[in-house]
Amino acid sequence: MAEAGGRRRLAVVAAVSAAAVGVAATVAVLVANASTGDDAAAPVASAAEYPPLESDVLSEEQARARDRAIRQAENARARGLLAPDVRPEDLVAPDGSASVITTEGRDIDCTQVKCVAITFDDGPGSQTDELLRMLSAVDALATWFPLGAVVADSPDRLRAIADAGHEIGNHSWSHPQLTARSNGEIDTQVTRTAELIEELLGTRPSLVRPPYGAISRRVVAELGRLNAPAILWDVDSRDWATRNATSVRRAVLRQVRPGSIVLLHDIHPSTIAAMPRILRTLAARDYVFVTVSELFGGELKAGQVYLDRTDQYRGF
Ligand code: NI
């Protein structure tokens, strides 16, 4: 592939994606909004044909972010979530900033349809691939709250999750109870994790799930200072305690209601084993599986605590 040709293509993509900037700092992901492709008339090479990146054009980090954005868009297209007239490469800026493929394209209004946000903490675990297939089978997007220390050991798992369009939050670096830590330590736990994820994915997670769900007015205020909404849950699967697929399934199905946030941990094989029936049953009840950001229509505010779509925590 000629160098000049490669650069020309990149320039075209840059121009196209300018219309698509402005998508938030949330890690959220996926799904093209057809409107972002309105100006995308110029012919562009398919993702597979992109020339190798040159170090004088893009940093390694930018190159990774761009490649990821292309994979993400390809995934969306494979799942029929991309408008037919939008090509993945049209959505990707040379520096990857167009991970701009947002959940908005799904246009799910959780005030009108039965939404549920499935969340997975403490991982990613060793059965990520299996879980991603299960979710994909029912067109489900979920939200992961990974630990920085785990991500550092298995960055490829996190990339696979993000590539499939799921939302990535932040569950601290090493799972301390934040209420027992100083503000400085909270900052370190959150920021170190966010920086690692940003380095890997090109987008910085904003949602934080405090370990153990332990919060106080001080912790939440500190999270607010770090620009993070605190995401709790209303459906506790207790999967970490029971470690039994049937118990996990029953706990979830008994408690879930429209607008729920479901707490699960994908590091337990029993949780993975419970997922197919949980997903099938909820799909049969007409639930739509959304990310946490989708559940709130992108309206989450830093320094606030969320339990489910309608309730904010007022217990302080
Ligand atoms: Ni946890």
Side-chain angles (χ1 to χ4, degrees):
M1 186 71 67
E3 185 174 309
R7 283 193 168 145
R8 192 162 54 243
R9 261 191 299 281
L10 290 177
V12 168
V13 174
V16 166
S17 64
V21 187
V23 172
T26 83
V27 177
V29 179
L30 240 200
V31 189
N33 187 334
S35 67
T36 58
D38 285 352
D39 303 327
V44 187
S46 78
E49 291 167 344
Y50 269 74
L53 295 159
E54 292 153 83
S55 54
D56 60 332
V57 177
L58 293 183
S59 71
E60 228 174 89
E61 188 178 326
Q62 287 174 322
R64 277 201 308 272
R66 192 201 64 151
D67 289 348
R68 174 178 163 272
I70 293 172
R71 288 198 305 277
Q72 199 177 80
E74 292 283 9
N75 267 317
R77 180 164 69 178
R79 295 167 59 207
L81 295 171
L82 210 59
D85 58 334
V86 177
R87 291 160 304 180
E89 55 271 28
D90 297 337
L91 300 167
V92 179
D95 64 358
S97 61
S99 320
V100 167
I101 308 164
T102 74
T103 48
E104 285 169 27
R106 298 219 299 182
D107 201 20
I108 296 168
D109 182 350
C110 293
T111 67
Q112 302 297 320
V113 300
K114 288 169 73 173
C115 292
V116 58
I118 305 274
T119 66
F120 298 107
D121 285 14
D122 296 2
S126 60
Q127 290 175 283
T128 301
D129 289 349
E130 207 179 322
L131 186 52
L132 291 177
R133 282 195 297 275
M134 292 171 189
L135 293 166
S136 171
V138 291
D139 261 341
L141 291 186
T143 303
W144 264 259
F145 290 98
L147 291 172
V150 175
V151 171
D153 279 343
S154 52
D156 288 345
R157 286 182 191 153
L158 192 75
R159 285 196 195 96
I161 292 165
D163 286 351
H166 303 285
E167 181 162 28
I168 308 292
N170 181 339
H171 195 39
S172 82
W173 186 267
S174 59
H175 214 272
Q177 189 172 319
L178 299 183
T179 48
R181 299 299 177 103
S182 70
N183 286 352
E185 288 172 302
I186 293 171
D187 186 328
T188 302
Q189 285 281 332
V190 170
T191 303
R192 189 178 172 199
T193 304
E195 284 174 354
L196 172 64
I197 292 173
E198 184 173 22
E199 186 190 318
L200 291 171
L201 304 180
T203 36
R204 192 180 181 92
S206 68
L207 310 183
V208 167
R209 171 160 286 161
Y212 312 102
I215 53 171
S216 65
R217 189 188 296 276
R218 177 182 66 88
V219 166
V220 172
E222 183 62 14
L223 293 178
R225 210 184 57 73
L226 298 171
N227 214 19
I231 309 299
L232 300 186
W233 57 85
D234 65 316
V235 176
D236 186 353
S237 68
R238 290 186 50 77
D239 59 343
W240 55 274
T242 60
R243 307 285 184 96
N244 175 285
T246 305
S247 305
V248 171
R249 171 170 50 86
R250 286 183 180 154
V252 171
L253 296 179
R254 190 174 57 239
Q255 299 175 74
V256 73
R257 59 196 173 84
S260 280
I261 299 176
V262 180
L263 172 67
L264 292 154
H265 300 78
D266 61 322
I267 53 172
H268 303 308
S270 45
T271 299
I272 307 293
M275 287 314 296
R277 283 186 67 181
I278 290 174
L279 294 170
R280 277 204 308 274
T281 304
L282 293 179
R285 293 184 192 171
D286 295 326
Y287 276 95
V288 176
F289 303 98
V290 297
T291 66
V292 168
S293 287
E294 280 181 309
L295 185 65
F296 293 91
E299 299 291 315
L300 291 155
K301 295 188 181 68
Q304 300 222 22
V305 181
Y306 296 88
L307 303 174
D308 65 25
R309 198 190 67 75
T310 54
D311 287 347
Q312 284 179 20
Y313 186 73
R314 296 180 189 85
F316 295 127

